């Protein structure tokens, strides 16, 4: 299965890492759809889809980086494909990981029970999958309840869904859609090195020392 690649930008300044995410996402081979609130901010070579963000979401205490999870579930339910955060680097196609209805990233090995195992920085989904509609509904409920916990609509919610009913999910093997800590970011750019198979998409956490990185990898369009 191949499908569109979705990015969501609900506001805030765009930085060079966002362009890097879009440029590298072409490796997945599908059309790239930029879902946003301002068409003037759209990078080149992508399709723009407008989101009418209501004020209660724009000003929500959980912040826009978490509100986007509601839209990611909704967009994948309607269109299918792969959703990617804008602080990712795509190394190779990830479609083979989707063997059920939804494939979330896996951040931690199963021996680590101190964090939610799964993450939504990369999320593959089949168009029309009922569980995506259920995830969107649960995320909207949390928003309307005023939830302000970081990650509540993303890692915590999808990990709870998988624990309750794993059948609709094919979570990526650990390190296939991989979360990377700041020291590994530095290692990755200093060498540089390809993490190799089976890693498809790496998550660089844009808040972790981005000043180290700008002179090491600047994408070209």
């Amino acid at each position: 299965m191949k499908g569109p690649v979705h990015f969501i930008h609900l506001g805030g300044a765009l930085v060079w890492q966002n362009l890097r995410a879009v440029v590298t996402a072409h490796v997945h081979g599908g059309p790239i759809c930029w879902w946003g609130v301002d068409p003037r901010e759209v990078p080149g070579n992508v399709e723009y889809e407008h989101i009418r963000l209501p004020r209660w979401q724009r000003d929500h205490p959980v912040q826009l980086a978490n509100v986007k999870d509601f839209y990611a579930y909704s967009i994948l339910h309607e269109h299918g494909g792969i959703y990617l955060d804008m602080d990712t680097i795509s190394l190779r196609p990830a479609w083979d990981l989707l063997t059920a209805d939804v494939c979330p990233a896996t951040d931690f090995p199963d021996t680590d029970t101190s964090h939610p195992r799964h993450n939504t920085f990369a999320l593959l989904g089949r168009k029309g999958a009922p569980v995506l509609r259920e995830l969107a509904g649960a995320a909207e409920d949390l928003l309307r309840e005023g939830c302000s916990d970081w990650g509540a609509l993303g890692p915590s919610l999808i990990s709870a869904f998988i624990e309750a009913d794993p059948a609709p999910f094919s979570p990526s093997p650990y390190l296939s859609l991989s979360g990377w800590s700041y020291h590994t970011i530095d290692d990755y750019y200093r060498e540089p090195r390809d993490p190799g198979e089976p890693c498809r998409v790496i998550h660089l956490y844009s808040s972790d020392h981005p000043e180290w990185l700008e002179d090491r990898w600047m994408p070209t369009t």
Side-chain angles (χ1 to χ4, degrees), residues 7 33 85 93 116 178 201:
F7 290 93
C33 299
D85 274 2
S178 168
V201 177

Side-chain angles (χ1 to χ4, degrees), residues 129-173:
V131 71
L132 286 166
R133 183 180 62 246
E134 294 166 10
L135 281 161
E140 183 175 14
D141 288 345
L142 287 169
L143 288 174
R144 292 192 179 278
E145 292 165 8
C147 177
S148 60
D149 296 334
W150 188 266
L153 279 66
S156 295
L157 182 61
I158 202 161
S159 295
F161 263 65
I162 293 169
E163 184 175 354
D165 181 11
F169 297 93
S170 57
S172 69

